[in-house]
Structure formats: structure tokens, C-alpha cells
């Protein structure tokens, strides 16, 4: 099982090697997809967690205990499918594979692949994407 | 074999006409010769649904009491052109509201079609015959006299694709162009597109009845920047922006399914316009032209990052629609800005209207000009 998460780091917790400890303590695969953290200002990290359901649950518990804000991205990105005209403009900027066109020229959205880069929010001329973090 | 529009219309009225969508016709053309196709099929419906910036609407608000010549007009904060008579105005799709860059003339048009109320404000200097100097009113499509979409340039016959060689993201009317050749965007419904199915403008002319945003509308003239002198490939398809049409129809008969406001980041607003054109299969030559496939339609890829937008290569739409092309040895993802899915839907919808007898074909009253030149501002 694999899922992508958005992590928020408060400046106070940037001294601890949290991801390193996570890997040591929980048998979980961590793939860092994007990150931007400043020791003084804090920041964010987008990671993919892979492994047994239990280890993913334990990872979330581990991170929450260390005051890392954690959100599963797929449940935080919203796409107003009813309004979509299937123009394809959003697919021009999505490199995670979350947005693509199928053989019927319809937009297919796979939120579980989304890495929260936010590019589609501005690329969609109808503004059909939003995040609720 | 030669068929006239009159004969085809008679068959439509008797429910004997054979009408197929452009997509279906392409499939038939794999199995049958143009002569056979002309015997088998009477009408082919073609369509496009893409952002068309050169769009707008003439509105007549009705006179106020005391009378006023609305000179400076805003609709939900978007300026409308009031320099025509007293109660007329033109709202252009790309005019942006003063307070909100994401709301523009295109949105006013969509809101009107949706039946929403719009706040109209107007100022005037006041004259002896039009003394009133200010007004504010709530208007809607039902409360105003005419609402006439008039789009000076729509349904471009082919259009160049766009990419970006620079290190900066470019926000353009061709969408978001990512740095270092991050993507290529293009805008056409390709083999479904009206003017690509009638490359020599033999059927489409002044007076051709069309599907416009859900209404029955008309081609009223050639569009602006109409350029039939563009170099053509061996399939008789121009290699870039060529013919265009000016179209008109009543907003009161339109549907927001087929007219949608768009907003391109750091560019501004535009209007998705759904246009369908039924092409009468009058003879074998028409059938041959209607058999054009995406692989036969080629366009150039322009670098929007360089002055003069140099061309980087020539590709056909089968390649562009495949999701990636190879440019200078690199695979670059491609994306469309025009909706093929909506074009297919309009082809279907128009076919159904013709089948039901509610939409008849027209003979053009005059041809669109051929062999013209295009000027640049000096
Ligand atoms: S935010 Fe949008 S563009 Fe970015 S990965 Fe997610 S779906 Fe794709
Ligand atoms: S850009 Fe917006 S309207 Fe176009 S396909 Fe993507 S979600 Fe749909």
C-alpha cells in the first residue's frame, strides 16, 4: 500500500531528524517527493509512504506525536468534476501523473498520485481545483 | 454525383437524410471511396469547443426614464463599450473587471446566459435629448431587448502550437508554458474542426447556419485576420492560422453548457465557444475533404520564449494528441486547450437537431474571400 502525504514542520521541530527516526523506528518506505524546510521558518515536505497498512498507520502516529502536521493529499485536493469541460489545460502542468486524458478525450483525475504542487489550480481556466489544508 | 442543399433539406424534412458526425464519417472513409460516401451520406456534423478570445456580445438595455445615453458602462464592474447610440453596448470577452482579474466580459456573458442578474452602471455627460447623467440597474437576459453574440474571429482553421525554451514559466493564452521545454500546448479539435473539414471554404460562407453556443447562429462574414494565403501541406491543409469566421447568434437561445468563461493565469479572461457546422456532402470532392484525419493536419510549434516566436518544428495532430512529441531529441509532454470531448458532443447534438427537423441547412449567400493578404501593424 502506498499513499502520499503533505507534512508541515513547525520551526521548533526542525532540529530533530524526524524522517530518519521514522525510518529507523517504523518499518516503512519513505520517498521524499518535494520539500522546502528552513530551520528558522519551518516548512513542508511531500512524502510517499509505502508498506503494510499497519506501518503506515504507525508512521502517522509517529509523526503526529512529534507535532508534524500531516494530511493525506488525495483527501485534500478537490476537483469539481461536474463543471469540467475536458479541455486538457491542467494536464499540461501535472507531472505526477495525477491528471491525464483517456481514449475518449475525457480528463481522468487520480488524486492518489497528486503531490500537491498546486500548478493545476492556476492552469485550469475554470478554476476547478482547490486544496483544503 | 451532385446534390443540392435544397434536395438535402427535403430529405431532412422527410426524415430520409443520412447525417453522421465527423468522427463517424472518418471511420466510414476507411472503408469507402469518396464517390460512395457521397451517395451514402448527406450531412456531416463538425464542431469545435475552445477558448476564443475574439468574442463578445451587443446588448441593448432599453431606455431609462428620463432618457439617458449610456456612455461609460460597466457590467458587474467590467467595462462595456458604449460609444454606439444611446442604449446599445458591446461587451468583449477579454475585458477584465477593475477589481478582480479573474472576472471579465466572458463571465458577464456566461452569467447572462445562465439567467443571473448583472449590475449595470452607466454615466453620461447629459444632452438636451438625453438629460440623465447616471444610472444603476439590475439587468438580466430576460429584461433587456437584444443580446446578440457577435464574435469577430472564431473557429480558426488550424493554429500554431506553443512551447517555451526559457528558464521562466510563461503564462500565456496558450496556457501555462513550463520552462526548458516543459510542455507543448495546442488548440484545435483537429479532424472534427469545421474549417479543417472544408479547407477551400466551398460550403462554409456568408449566411451559413451554424450551431453557436447552443443556439442556431450564422456565419456573417469572414473573421478578422482571415488568411487563406497560408502555405498548405500536401493534404491541402494550411500549416498554421488561416481562415476564420465571424459569427452571430442570440444569447437568449444559448446554453452555458456550450459557452463557458475561462481565465488564463496572468493573461486574463477568454470565452470557450462551442461551434458546430453541418457540412453538406454535395459531391465526391467534399467527401474527400471530409475524410481528412489528424495525421494529415500539421502545424508548427512556436517558441513563445523567443522574440518573433521562431518555429521549432512541424508536427501533425495525431502526434500532438498522443500526449508527447519528440523535439530536438527530447520527449516533451503535450496538452490541448480545446475540448475534443465537447466537440464530439456538439457534433452529436447538431446531428440530433438536424434529424429532428429543427435545424435545416443553408446555401451560402456569398463565398468567404480567398487569396487574401494579412497586414502587420507598421
Ligand atoms: S496539484 Fe494538480 S498539478 Fe500538482 S500534482 Fe496535484 S493534480 Fe497534478
Ligand atoms: S483544465 Fe479544468 S476544465 Fe480543463 S480539463 Fe482540466 S479540470 Fe477540466
Amino acid at each position: 500500500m502506498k499513499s502520499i502525504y503533505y507534512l508541515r514542520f513547525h520551526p521548533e521541530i526542525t532540529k530533530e531528524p524526524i524522517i530518519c527516526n521514522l525510518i529507523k523506528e517504523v518499518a516503512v518506505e519513505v520517498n521524499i517527493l518535494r520539500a522546502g524546510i528552513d530551520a528558522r521558518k519551518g516548512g513542508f515536505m511531500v512524502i510517499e509512504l509505502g508498506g503494510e497498512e499497519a506501518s503506515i498507520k504507525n508512521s502517522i502516529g509517529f509523526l503526529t506525536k512529534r507535532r508534524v502536521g500531516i494530511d493525506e493529499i488525495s483527501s485534500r485536493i478537490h476537483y469539481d468534476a461536474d463543471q469540467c469541460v475536458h479541455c486538457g489545460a491542467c494536464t499540461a502542468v501535472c507531472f505526477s501523473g495525477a491528471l491525464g486524458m483517456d481514449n475518449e478525450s475525457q480528463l481522468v483525475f487520480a488524486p492518489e498520485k497528486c503531490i500537491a504542487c498546486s500548478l493545476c489550480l492556476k492552469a485550469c481556466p475554470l478554476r476547478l481545483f482547490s486544496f483544503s489544508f | 454525383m451532385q446534390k443540392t442543399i435544397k434536395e438535402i433539406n427535403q430529405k431532412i424534412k422527410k426524415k430520409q437524410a443520412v447525417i453522421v458526425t465527423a468522427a463517424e464519417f472518418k471511420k466510414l472513409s476507411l472503408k469507402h471511396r469518396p464517390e460512395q460516401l457521397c451517395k451514402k451520406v448527406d450531412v456531416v456534423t463538425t464542431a469545435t469547443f475552445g477558448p476564443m478570445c475574439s468574442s463578445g456580445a451587443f446588448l441593448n438595455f432599453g431606455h431609462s426614464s428620463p432618457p439617458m445615453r449610456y456612455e461609460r458602462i460597466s457590467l458587474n464592474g467590467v467595462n462595456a463599450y458604449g460609444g454606439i447610440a444611446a442604449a446599445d453596448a458591446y461587451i468583449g470577452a477579454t475585458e477584465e473587471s477593475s477589481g478582480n482579474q479573474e472576472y471579465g466580459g466572458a463571465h458577464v456573458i456566461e452569467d447572462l446566459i445562465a439567467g443571473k442578474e448583472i449590475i449595470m452602471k452607466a454615466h453620461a455627460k447629459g444632452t438636451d435629448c438625453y438629460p440623465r447623467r447616471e444610472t444603476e440597474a439590475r439587468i438580466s437576459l430576460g429584461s433587456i431587448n437584444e443580446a446578440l453574440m457577435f464574435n469577430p474571429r472564431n473557429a480558426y482553421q488550424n493554429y500554431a502550437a506553443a512551447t517555451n525554451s526559457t528558464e521562466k514559466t510563461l503564462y500565456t493564452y496558450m496556457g501555462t508554458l513550463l520552462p526548458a521545454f516543459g510542455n507543448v500546448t495546442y488548440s484545435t479539435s483537429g479532424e472534427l474542426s469545421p474549417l479543417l473539414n472544408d479547407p477551400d471554404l466551398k460550403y462554409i460562407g456568408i449566411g451559413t447556419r451554424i450551431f453557436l453556443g447552443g443556439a442556431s447562429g450564422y456565419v456573417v462574414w469572414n473573421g478578422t485576420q482571415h488568411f487563406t494565403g497560408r502555405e498548405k501541406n500536401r493534404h491541402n491543409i494550411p500549416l498554421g492560422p488561416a481562415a476564420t469566421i465571424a459569427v452571430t447568434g442570440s444569447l437568449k437561445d444559448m446554453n452555458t453548457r456550450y459557452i463557458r468563461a475561462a481565465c488564463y493565469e496572468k493573461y486574463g479572461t477568454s470565452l470557450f465557444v462551442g461551434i458546430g457546422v453541418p457540412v453538406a456532402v454535395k459531391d465526391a470532392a467534399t467527401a474527400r475533404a471530409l475524410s481528412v484525419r489528424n495525421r494529415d493536419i500539421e502545424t508548427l510549434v512556436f517558441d513563445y520564449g523567443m522574440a518573433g516566436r521562431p518555429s521549432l518544428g512541424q508536427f501533425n495532430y495525431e502526434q500532438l494528441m498522443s500526449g508527447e512529441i519528440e523535439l530536438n531529441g527530447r520527449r516533451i509532454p503535450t496538452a490541448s486547450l480545446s475540448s475534443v470531448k465537447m466537440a464530439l458532443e456538439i457534433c452529436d447534438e447538431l446531428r440530433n437537431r438536424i434529424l429532428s427537423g429543427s435545424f435545416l441547412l443553408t446555401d451560402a449567400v456569398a463565398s468567404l474571400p480567398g487569396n487574401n493578404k494579412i497586414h502587420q501593424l507598421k
Side-chain angles (χ1 to χ4, degrees), chain B residues 243-301:
Chain B
T244 66
I245 47 178
V247 300
T248 193
S250 174
L251 249 55
K252 297 197 180 196
D253 301 326
M254 290 184 190
N255 182 329
T256 52
R257 183 151 186 86
Y258 305 112
I259 296 285
R260 295 296 294 275
C263 178
Y264 291 94
E265 186 67 13
K266 294 184 188 160
Y267 166 73
T269 60
S270 185
L271 192 67
F272 276 105
V273 181
I275 292 182
V277 180
V279 179
V281 192
K282 285 198 213 170
D283 50 27
T286 309
R288 190 171 301 116
L290 283 161
S291 306
V292 71
R293 302 305 308 259
N294 282 329
R295 60 173 169 270
D296 307 326
I297 308 168
E298 293 168 296
T299 196
L300 304 175
V301 176

Side-chain angles (χ1 to χ4, degrees), chain B residues 73-334:
Chain B
I73 303 167
S74 76
L75 301 169
N76 279 356
V78 183
N79 282 337
Y81 179 71
I84 25 170
D88 292 320
Y90 185 78
I91 177 81
T94 62
E95 185 78 40
E96 284 167 37
S97 82
S98 40
N100 173 7
Q101 279 197 5
E102 306 248 302
Y103 189 93
H107 298 82
V108 172
I109 291 169
E110 184 186 321
D111 283 349
L112 278 170
I113 298 172
K116 293 187 188 160
E117 273 194 345
I118 305 278
I119 296 178
M120 179 252 201
K121 290 185 187 165
H123 296 270
K125 65 178 182 294
T127 68
D128 288 346
C129 45
Y130 292 111
R132 190 162 169 172
R133 293 168 65 177
E134 239 181 55
T135 192
E136 181 170 335
R138 289 177 173 275
I139 62 153
S140 68
L141 203 51
S143 79
I144 60 178
N145 289 321
E146 285 81 16
L148 197 68
M149 180 168 279
F150 184 95
N151 303 344
R153 181 175 64 258
N154 275 179
Y156 242 126
Q157 188 182 40
N158 213 349
Y159 206 77
T163 191
N164 169 17
S165 65
T166 69
E167 294 306 313
K168 263 188 10 208
T169 298
L170 297 178
Y171 297 94
T172 73
Y173 63 85
M174 290 299 285
T176 307
L177 299 174
L178 297 172
F181 302 109
N183 55 11
V184 169
T185 60
Y186 60 91
S187 188
T188 185
S189 60
E191 63 186 26
L192 308 175
S193 183
L195 296 181
L196 288 170
N197 278 288
D198 184 16
D200 296 323
L201 308 172
K202 282 198 191 149
Y203 173 76
I204 300 168
I206 295 167
T208 301
R209 185 178 292 134
I210 60 169
F211 172 104
L212 178 61
S216 283
Y218 293 89
V219 174
V220 288
W221 209 255
N222 61 271
T224 52
Q225 293 173 31
H226 177 73
F227 179 43
T228 51
R230 178 79 61 194
E231 185 196 344
K232 290 189 168 179
N233 71 8
R234 64 198 168 88
H235 303 287
N236 196 30
I237 296 291
L239 280 168
T244 66
I245 47 178
V247 300
T248 193
S250 174
L251 249 55
K252 297 197 180 196
D253 301 326
M254 290 184 190
N255 182 329
T256 52
R257 183 151 186 86
Y258 305 112
I259 296 285
R260 295 296 294 275
C263 178
Y264 291 94
E265 186 67 13
K266 294 184 188 160
Y267 166 73
T269 60
S270 185
L271 192 67
F272 276 105
V273 181
I275 292 182
V277 180
V279 179
V281 192
K282 285 198 213 170
D283 50 27
T286 309
R288 190 171 301 116
L290 283 161
S291 306
V292 71
R293 302 305 308 259
N294 282 329
R295 60 173 169 270
D296 307 326
I297 308 168
E298 293 168 296
T299 196
L300 304 175
V301 176
F302 285 169
D303 181 359
Y304 273 53
M306 300 290 278
R309 294 182 191 163
S311 162
L312 301 176
Q314 188 172 318
F315 294 87
N316 67 49
Y317 282 112
E318 196 173 271
Q319 294 169 309
L320 284 160
M321 288 180 183
S322 74
E324 61 174 27
I325 57 168
E326 209 179 299
L327 196 65
N328 301 329
R330 273 182 58 184
R331 297 167 96 82
I332 302 179
T334 57

Side-chain angles (χ1 to χ4, degrees), chain A residues 94-105:
Chain A
C94 183
F95 280 80
S96 69
L99 293 167
M101 304 304 281
D102 69 9
N103 290 337
E104 248 104 72
S105 304

Side-chain angles (χ1 to χ4, degrees), chain A residues 83 85-89 91-93 95 104-106 119 122-127, chain B residues 102 176 178 182-183 260-265 272 335-342:
Chain A
Q83 294 294 318
V85 296
H86 307 276
C87 64
T91 68
V93 296
F95 280 80
E104 248 104 72
S105 304
Q106 289 205 63
L119 288 174
K122 291 175 172 181
C124 170
L126 270 53
R127 303 289 188 260
Chain B
E102 306 248 302
T176 307
L178 297 172
N183 55 11
R260 295 296 294 275
C263 178
Y264 291 94
E265 186 67 13
F272 276 105
S336 168
L337 300 173
S338 166
S339 174
V340 170
K341 184 175 151 59
M342 287 303 296

